[in-house]
């Protein structure tokens, strides 16, 4: 009997070993090592851009790059989770774009430190673009594109409602949204959730507090001004002034183009499609100032190119990032305006991008320079969820705005303290 | 049921437990076929490999992670004892997710039970095309939750006037509703109707099997006593005879509700009051990247499910209806 068990156990152990090897082999792509001519084999990860042609363009750039073999991975679905999993596994990933640089991962050494290539050109980049890549004084990514988000409106609908200039204060804005609501269209498309996901973050900036203080130690979004704005939004939601239940959410311009709402929250990326459909009937304005100490705001999100510290070719990968997103300004201009519109973080490149220097894009770039806001990497997705939950509870569930914001504030402070423990 | 099979059932019933059972003693030992052991291991190898890599290792690793500070890492080094468990249980979002599960279970379990049983009885009494209708009602079980979510969100319960639900409301002169998936309790209608459609066929099959196990002679005897149809016949014969099936169905439905994820993730991802435990854990693990807390949560949920299953078996018992005696006495016998 003993002999049989030994054999059985041997088979089990062998099975487990084979299985583990198969699983590991399945995880790795063509990353790692070099080819016969000594060129590094690299993988480069992109999320799925909504506009046609982006995939072909990035693949072509990679194929044209002479100093390494770049295998472009175009990820559909949940991009951030896929990248996180690969970074945790520590293999199969060399270069990747990221719009959520994670403080913990940076401190744990999962990202290669790119300070050496970013520092020399840091003063040539728009200041707001460096905030998301800066952790503990080091640069962990090269900003690729800056994506401003703000309000776009239909000029003809404003005229029909007797509104001559776009609102600059929250109170004017709320009054205008009510005036703009007719039997034909709603006043505002602020996301299918009634704006809960957008008001907290952008509203905190517009109330003058921002979500975190400058040294990322205190949560600052909880203010009477923001609570009052949340209550106003609750009124707009229950009053039927908001477009909800649209087939796609705010980042897709379909509903706005169809004329379902007079004002929409939107990103610069959608401007080509909107201008193509609506011509010059579209204008832009920043998130209006909330309360007496408020300021107008343009939300800025950003994609950054990073290198995995676990890459077996960190130097070659860093060289690719530098060549593509620092040196090749022609490519950066092409990427910024040939598909959806984005702002190149290098200011000289942005200035030289002619399509961003006229009409509506020019207005948006100007507003972004003046009012752009980014909370930076210490504002994590978990914190965003806590704030959004508070606003959701107040707007759609009838909870008290002040107490919801206060609860969320202490939750987020807890998360921030945990983050700052190390 | 034919008269022949009725006879067979009657015979079996009369024999009952006194009938001699097949002997449990082993068959006379034969010499093993050469190479059989090798063949055995070769055939179970894929299964063993799969369960080892994706099951056992993952479980052991989860237990390990749950005792460590595993934020943004799967190879943590800082031992924190029970801190992850304490943080989880004191997290209001976790408690909210349990409340969400309770609401969902209260809505979905009785609804599915009632619809599945009603469908099973209808199909069981069909004089023809029984197999056809059985298949028709079972088909949605093979359907993807994600695709169904898209259909429910964009087709049936679209916020636009053209959505099916809004068109129906329009027939009664009611204004279209644009907040099907943002406003409570409207989103529960969307979520419950979708899961009902997807799973009712499977539970209908379980009930059909249960119904076909009920000896026809019971109904015949009842008919002789003047009880040939109606609710009394259902409550006196069908329901008690179905008790083991009902117990199994309730347990399976509760477990399924506890594991709900897809429709909540796809239909109402931003609503804090509609975030069941698995969605909460998913966010903790993959948005907050707190694998220690996530692992602790997974183990707590597993423990809860095991306890529920044990309690259910204790009180409802799968085989309870087979025996007129209470379970405790039967054990002693």
């Amino acid at each position: 009997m003993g002999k049989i068990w030994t054999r059985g156990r041997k088979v089990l152990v062998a099975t487990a070993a084979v299985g583990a090897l198969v699983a590991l082999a399945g995880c790795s792509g063509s990353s790692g090592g070099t080819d016969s001519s000594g060129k590094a084999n690299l993988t480069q990860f992109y999320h799925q851009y909504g506009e046609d042609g982006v995939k072909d363009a990035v693949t072509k750039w990679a194929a044209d790059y002479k100093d390494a073999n770049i295998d472009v991975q175009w990820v559909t679905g949940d991009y951030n989770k896929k990248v996180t999993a690969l970074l945790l596994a520590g293999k199969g990933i060399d270069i990747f774009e990221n719009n959520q640089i994670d403080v913990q991962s940076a401190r744990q050494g999962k990202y290669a430190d790119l300070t050496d290539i970013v520092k020399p050109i840091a003063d040539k980049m728009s200041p707001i673009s460096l905030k998301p890549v800066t952790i503990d004084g080091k640069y962990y990514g090269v900003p690729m594109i800056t994506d401003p988000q703000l309000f776009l409106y239909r000029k003809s609908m404003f005229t029909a409602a007797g509104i001559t200039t776009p609102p600059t204060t929250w109170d004017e804005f709320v009054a205008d949204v009510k005036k703009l609501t007719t039997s034909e269209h709603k006043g505002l498309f602020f996301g299918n959730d009634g704006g809960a996901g957008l008001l907290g973050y952008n509203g905190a900036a517009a109330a003058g507090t921002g979500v975190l203080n400058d040294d990322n130690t205190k949560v600052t979004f909880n203010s009477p001004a923001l609570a009052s704005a949340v209550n106003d939004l609750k009124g707009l939601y229950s009053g039927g002034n908001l477009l909800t239940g649209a087939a796609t959410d705010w980042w897709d311009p379909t509903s706005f183009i169809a004329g379902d709402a007079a004002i929409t929250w939107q990103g610069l990326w959608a401007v080509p499609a909107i201008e193509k459909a609506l011509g010059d009937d579209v204008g832009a304005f920043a998130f209006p100032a909330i309360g007496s100490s408020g300021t107008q705001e343009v939300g800025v999100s950003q994609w950054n190119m990073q290198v995995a510290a676990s890459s077996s070719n960190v130097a070659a990968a860093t060289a690719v990032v530098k060549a593509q997103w620092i040196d090749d300004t022609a490519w950066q201009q092409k990427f910024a305006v040939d598909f959806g519109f984005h702002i190149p973080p290098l200011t000289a490149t942005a200035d030289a991008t002619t399509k961003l220097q006229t009409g509506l894009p020019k207005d948006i770039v100007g507003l972004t320079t003046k009012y752009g806001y980014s909370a930076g990497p210490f504002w994590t997705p978990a914190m965003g969820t806590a704030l959004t939950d508070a606003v959701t509870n107040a707007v759609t569930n009838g909870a008290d705005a002040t107490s919801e914001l206060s609860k969320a504030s202490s939750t987020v402070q807890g998360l921030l303290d945990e983050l700052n423990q190390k | 049921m034919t008269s022949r099979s009725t006879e067979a059932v009657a015979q079996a019933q009369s024999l009952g437990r006194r009938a001699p059972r097949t002997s449990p003693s082993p068959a006379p030992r034969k010499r093993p076929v050469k190479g059989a052991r090798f063949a055995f291991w070769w055939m179970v190898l894929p299964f063993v490999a799969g369960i080892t890599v994706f099951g056992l290792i993952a479980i052991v690793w989860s237990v390990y992670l749950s005792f460590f500070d595993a934020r943004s890492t799967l190879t943590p080094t800082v031992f924190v004892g029970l801190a992850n468990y304490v943080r989880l249980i004191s997290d209001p979002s976790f408690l909210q997710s349990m409340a969400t599960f309770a609401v969902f279970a209260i809505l979905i379990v009785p609804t599915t039970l009632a619809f599945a049983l009603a469908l099973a009885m209808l199909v069981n009494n069909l004089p023809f095309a029984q197999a056809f209708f059985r298949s028709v009602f079972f088909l949605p079980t093979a359907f993807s939750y994600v695709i169904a979510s898209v259909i429910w969100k964009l087709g049936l319960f679209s916020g636009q006037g053209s959505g099916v639900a809004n068109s129906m409301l329009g027939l009664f002169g009611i204004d279209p509703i644009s907040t099907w998936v943002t406003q409570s309790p409207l989103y529960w209608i969307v979520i419950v109707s979708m899961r009902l459609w997807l799973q009712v066929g499977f539970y209908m099959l379980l009930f059909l099997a249960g119904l076909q196990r009920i000896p026809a002679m019971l109904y015949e005897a009842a008919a002789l006593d003047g009880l040939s149809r109606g609710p009394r016949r259902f409550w006196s014969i069908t329901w008690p005879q179905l008790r083991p099936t009902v117990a199994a169905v309730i347990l399976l439905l509760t477990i399924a509700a506890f594991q709900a994820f897809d429709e909540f993730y796809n239909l109402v991802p931003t609503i804090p009051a509609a975030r069941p435990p698995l969605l909460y854990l998913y966010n903790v693990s993959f948005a907050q990247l707190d694998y220690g807390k996530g692992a602790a949560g997974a183990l707590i949920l597993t423990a809860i499910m095991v306890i529920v299953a044990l309690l259910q078996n204790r009180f409802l018992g799968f085989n309870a209806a087979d025996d007129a005696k209470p379970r405790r006495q039967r054990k002693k016998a």
Side-chain angles (χ1 to χ4, degrees):
Chain A
M1 207 56 188
K3 205 177 170 189
I4 297 167
W5 268 112
T6 317
R7 250 177 90 175
R9 217 175 311 168
K10 271 183 195 160
V11 175
L12 260 176
V13 169
T15 307
V18 170
L21 278 176
V22 168
L24 285 174
C27 296
S28 64
S30 54
S31 121
T34 52
D35 67 6
S36 52
S37 62
K39 276 202 273 182
N41 293 323
L42 301 170
T43 53
Q44 185 176 27
F45 284 74
Y46 288 90
H47 83 286
Q48 182 186 23
Y49 284 78
E51 298 84 7
D52 293 335
V54 183
K55 186 182 178 185
D56 291 342
V58 296
T59 312
K60 185 170 183 308
W61 193 96
D64 291 347
Y65 186 73
K66 294 287 172 254
D67 297 337
N69 305 309
I70 305 171
D71 177 17
V72 169
Q73 301 281 320
W74 188 258
V75 179
T76 53
D78 202 330
Y79 177 79
N80 296 90
K81 293 191 177 77
K82 167 116 187 176
V83 165
T84 306
L86 285 164
L87 288 173
L88 276 175
K91 61 186 298 174
I93 185 164
D94 299 300
I95 311 167
F96 57 98
E97 57 168 12
N98 192 355
N99 64 346
Q100 281 173 13
I101 296 190
D102 175 46
V103 175
Q104 301 260 17
S105 300
R107 288 178 177 167
Q108 287 165 359
K110 291 203 170 65
Y111 307 139
D113 179 359
L114 301 183
T115 307
D116 287 349
I117 60 168
V118 176
K119 203 169 184 188
I121 45 100
D123 58 344
K124 297 190 178 79
M125 293 218 159
S126 66
I128 197 169
S129 69
L130 288 170
K131 197 170 177 185
V133 300
T134 311
I135 295 167
D136 304 333
K138 292 178 185 159
Y139 299 117
Y140 286 98
V142 177
M144 297 159 55
I145 47 173
T146 299
D147 285 326
Q149 291 148 41
L150 72 183
F151 288 114
L152 300 184
Y153 69 99
R154 294 286 290 271
K155 290 177 179 168
S156 56
M157 292 181 186
F158 268 50
T159 312
I163 304 166
T164 48
T165 51
T168 54
T169 68
W170 175 256
D171 293 342
E172 287 169 16
F173 175 74
V174 172
D176 287 352
V177 169
K178 286 179 185 162
K179 270 191 239 168
L180 286 161
T181 304
T182 69
S183 56
E184 301 294 310
H185 54 76
K186 299 289 183 183
L188 172 65
F189 186 30
F190 205 22
N192 277 328
D193 61 352
L198 294 168
L199 178 64
Y201 176 89
N202 295 290
T209 62
V211 287
L212 301 177
N213 65 352
D214 286 341
D215 52 2
N216 301 312
T217 53
K218 284 271 173 295
V219 177
T220 51
F221 62 72
N222 184 17
S223 70
L226 183 60
S228 152
V230 171
N231 281 328
D232 291 333
L233 186 66
K234 190 195 281 191
L236 293 176
Y237 174 80
S238 55
N241 301 104
L242 304 179
L243 177 65
T244 51
T248 50
D249 218 332
W250 62 267
W251 56 80
D252 179 278
T254 310
S255 306
F256 183 64
I257 288 172
D260 293 340
I263 305 174
T264 185
W265 186 255
Q266 190 50 272
L268 174 63
W269 58 80
V271 164
I274 290 173
E275 283 199 307
K276 193 176 164 200
L278 302 175
D280 59 1
D281 188 24
V282 187
F285 62 93
F287 196 108
I290 298 175
S292 52
S293 51
T295 167
Q296 294 180 69
E297 185 253 9
V298 173
V300 175
S301 64
Q302 182 169 296
W303 284 94
N304 314 288
M305 201 54 88
Q306 291 187 270
V307 172
S310 59
S311 166
S312 54
N313 292 304
V314 169
T318 306
V320 171
V321 174
K322 181 171 185 294
Q324 190 173 21
W325 296 105
I326 293 176
D327 298 339
D328 191 348
T329 53
W331 158 256
Q332 291 153 31
Q333 286 191 32
K334 177 185 166 67
F335 195 81
V337 293
D338 274 14
F339 316 104
F341 278 6
H342 317 273
I343 304 177
L346 283 165
T347 43
T349 312
D351 292 343
T353 308
T354 48
K355 281 189 189 169
L356 296 179
Q357 300 306 322
T358 55
L360 184 59
K362 186 185 177 194
D363 295 345
I364 295 175
V365 172
L367 289 168
T368 308
T369 311
K370 211 165 164 188
Y371 302 120
Y373 174 74
S374 166
F378 284 78
W379 179 254
T380 64
M383 297 179 192
T385 305
L387 177 55
T388 299
D389 284 358
V391 182
T392 306
N393 281 336
V395 172
T396 64
N397 226 3
D400 177 61
T402 309
S403 74
E404 285 294 319
L405 284 179
S406 155
K407 265 190 280 177
S409 177
S410 59
T411 305
V412 174
Q413 186 66 53
L415 293 169
L416 187 64
D417 292 344
E418 275 180 17
L419 199 57
N420 284 323
Q421 261 169 22
K422 294 201 174 172
Chain B
M1 210 179 264
T2 61
S3 61
R4 216 193 202 170
S5 65
T6 319
E7 265 174 44
V9 168
Q11 202 181 359
Q13 294 272 327
S14 71
L15 289 172
R17 281 191 169 67
R18 287 180 298 274
R21 296 181 178 219
T22 29
S23 162
S25 62
R29 225 180 141 78
K30 285 181 194 162
R31 252 189 332 151
V33 180
K34 211 182 165 198
R37 190 166 288 130
F38 176 76
F40 167 76
W41 281 112
W42 186 242
M43 280 185 216
V44 298
L45 188 129
F47 174 72
V48 172
I51 211 164
T52 307
V53 174
F54 298 108
L56 297 178
I57 292 179
I59 291 170
V60 172
W61 206 330
S62 298
V63 175
Y64 168 76
L65 284 176
S66 74
F67 293 108
F68 282 81
D69 176 8
R71 277 174 287 161
S72 301
T73 177
L74 289 178
T75 48
T77 49
V78 184
F79 181 77
V80 293
L82 291 172
N84 285 323
Y85 292 88
V86 174
R87 280 200 301 142
L88 186 92
I89 293 169
S90 57
D91 184 349
S93 305
F94 176 69
L95 303 177
Q96 168 74 61
S97 79
M98 298 304 288
T100 302
F101 156 69
V103 173
F104 183 50
I106 288 169
L107 291 172
I108 192 72
V109 173
T111 316
T112 312
L113 186 90
F115 273 84
L117 180 55
L119 273 182
M121 290 177 68
L122 283 174
V123 171
N124 198 35
N125 288 331
L126 277 177
F128 57 89
Q130 213 188 83
F132 171 75
F133 282 103
R134 210 166 48 210
S135 309
V136 165
F137 289 126
F138 183 70
L139 264 183
T141 305
F143 210 69
S144 147
Y145 270 73
V146 177
I147 295 172
S149 298
V150 173
I151 293 173
W152 250 247
K153 190 174 187 172
L154 299 183
L156 300 185
F157 290 97
S158 150
Q160 287 137 335
S162 54
V164 173
N166 280 340
S167 305
M168 303 261 284
L169 290 179
L171 294 179
F172 298 99
I174 302 170
D175 285 340
I177 294 173
S178 67
T179 52
W180 284 111
V181 289
T182 44
Q183 189 65 53
S184 173
L186 292 173
Y187 54 71
W188 285 118
I189 298 176
V190 183
I191 290 168
V192 169
S193 63
M194 192 188 110
R195 181 170 276 245
L196 181 66
W197 181 74
L198 283 166
Q199 70 180 10
V200 74
F202 175 73
Y203 295 98
M204 177 201 74
L205 277 196
L206 296 188
F207 276 123
L208 262 179
L211 285 172
Q212 284 164 4
R213 266 184 74 238
I214 300 176
M217 64 163 193
L218 290 179
Y219 291 113
E220 287 160 8
L224 284 178
D225 290 342
L227 183 62
S228 56
R229 52 176 52 251
R232 230 190 110 198
R233 191 177 88 144
F234 173 80
W235 291 116
S236 309
I237 300 173
T238 315
W239 182 254
Q241 288 290 318
L242 279 178
R243 206 176 135 197
T245 315
V246 170
V249 166
I250 289 178
L251 180 61
L252 292 175
L253 278 172
T254 312
I255 293 175
F258 206 62
Q259 292 175 334
F261 178 86
D262 296 31
E263 66 265 55
F264 289 89
Y265 180 78
N266 287 293
L267 291 169
V268 287
T270 59
I271 296 175
R275 216 169 271 153
L278 283 199
L279 189 49
Y280 164 80
L281 284 188
Y282 176 80
N283 286 339
V284 166
S285 302
F286 299 107
Q288 296 179 23
L289 306 181
D290 192 341
Y291 302 106
K293 193 175 168 191
L299 293 170
I300 288 181
L301 293 194
T302 310
I304 292 174
M305 248 11 263
V306 169
I307 291 168
V308 167
L310 289 175
L311 286 178
Q312 181 135 358
N313 198 33
R314 177 75 186 76
F315 290 110
L316 289 170
F318 286 120
N319 296 314
D322 285 355
D323 203 327
K325 290 179 203 163
R327 285 167 65 75
R328 226 173 259 183
Q329 287 180 21
R330 200 176 62 193
K331 259 185 200 165
K332 281 180 199 157

